[in-house]
């Protein structure tokens, strides 16, 4: 819809290598619009960025190699598939993704948000850096209940408040709502 209404001119889809051709097929099938896969040697990739359609697909490894080219291409919208790749805010992948500053951002992940609040914080930080406290400060801001050894319920206090605060940022499907 953003491309069709000319709200954005350039969209970047970042996904695992194995999913690039599936993204291409599904994009074409649902939108009827051209989508280019970034691949090849550095000269070929440079040519793709210079003559690209409105939508590019690349894998996370190429994002690390081509960050300067991607910054120059300046996508206005980005989709991160398997976004758990940025759940650790200290990794190179997470830091490189977060250097990009598109106006529109979408992350897709199958990783449950209950795993670790710091992981959720790293994902949300890229979507809206004001939606949660900084990832590095979450341990000190949220208190743990119980001792994790079966004495009391282990977990983070205030999850209901956190869920309510993030409701406008998440479309969440529980396992029970998935395909059977």
């Amino acid at each position: 819809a953003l491309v069709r209404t000319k709200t954005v001119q350039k969209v970047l889809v970042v996904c695992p290598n194995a999913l690039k051709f599936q993204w291409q097929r599904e994009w074409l099938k649902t939108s009827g619009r051209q989508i280019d896969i970034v691949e090849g040697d550095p000269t070929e990739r440079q040519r793709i960025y210079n003559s690209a359609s409105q939508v590019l697909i690349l894998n996370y490894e190429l994002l690390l190699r081509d960050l300067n080219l991607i910054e120059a291409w300046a996508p206005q919208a980005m989709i991160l598939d398997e976004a758990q790749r940025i759940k650790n805010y200290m990794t190179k992948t997470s830091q490189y993704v977060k250097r990009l500053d598109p106006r529109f951002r979408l992350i897709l992940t199958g990783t449950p948000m209950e795993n670790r609040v710091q992981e959720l914080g790293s994902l949300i930080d890229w979507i809206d850096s004001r939606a949660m406290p900084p990832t590095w400060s979450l341990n000190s801001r949220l208190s743990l209940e119980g001792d994790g050894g079966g004495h009391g319920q282990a977990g983070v206090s205030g999850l209901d408040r956190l869920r309510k605060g993030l409701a406008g940022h998440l479309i969440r499907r529980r396992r029970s709502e998935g395909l059977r």
Side-chain angles (χ1 to χ4, degrees):
L2 293 173
V3 173
R4 191 174 327 119
T5 60
K6 296 184 178 18
T7 304
V8 298
Q9 303 301 312
K10 299 175 183 177
V11 179
L12 181 65
V13 177
V14 183
C15 65
N17 195 49
L19 298 178
K20 290 189 299 188
F21 292 100
Q22 180 179 347
W23 264 97
Q24 185 181 44
R25 274 192 315 276
E26 295 299 323
W27 188 276
L28 229 86
K29 185 167 59 171
T30 58
S31 73
R33 296 181 177 268
Q34 179 182 346
I35 183 167
D36 292 328
I37 294 177
V38 178
E39 56 188 355
D41 63 33
T43 304
E44 175 64 14
R45 296 194 313 267
Q46 174 76 60
R47 187 195 62 72
I48 293 170
Y49 291 115
N50 290 342
S51 64
S53 65
Q54 292 178 305
V55 185
L56 292 179
I57 304 170
L58 58 86
N59 58 39
Y60 284 93
E61 292 75 22
L62 284 183
L63 181 125
L64 297 177
R65 289 189 200 132
D66 294 352
L67 184 64
N68 292 336
L69 296 171
I70 296 165
E71 287 175 322
W73 188 65
Q76 295 134 339
M78 275 181 68
I79 300 167
L80 298 182
D81 192 2
E82 301 293 342
Q84 64 270 17
R85 298 280 297 263
I86 68 165
K87 70 183 181 181
N88 181 342
Y89 72 96
M90 296 187 327
T91 65
K92 187 183 260 190
T93 300
S94 182
Q95 291 169 7
Y96 278 35
V97 164
K98 291 175 183 182
R99 278 183 49 185
L100 299 169
D101 193 28
R103 180 175 173 206
F104 298 96
R105 303 159 192 215
L106 174 67
I107 61 172
L108 306 168
T109 181
T111 302
M113 51 185 262
E114 289 88 358
N115 283 1
R116 293 186 53 168
V117 73
Q118 291 80 7
E119 294 173 358
L120 175 64
S122 182
L123 294 170
I124 295 297
D125 178 56
W126 189 65
I127 299 297
D128 180 354
S129 61
R130 296 166 302 197
M132 286 180 69
T135 306
W136 57 267
S137 73
L138 287 173
N139 275 342
S140 62
R141 290 177 181 250
L142 298 171
S143 61
L144 292 175
E145 298 173 346
D147 63 6
H151 302 94
Q153 184 178 5
V156 177
S157 66
L159 277 182
D160 288 338
R161 189 174 64 244
L162 184 60
R163 280 189 192 103
K164 190 181 295 185
L166 294 176
H169 294 80
L170 303 174
I171 298 173
R172 185 166 180 226
R173 185 179 72 192
R174 297 181 190 277
R175 179 171 289 169
S176 62
E177 298 167 338
L179 298 174
R180 297 172 198 254

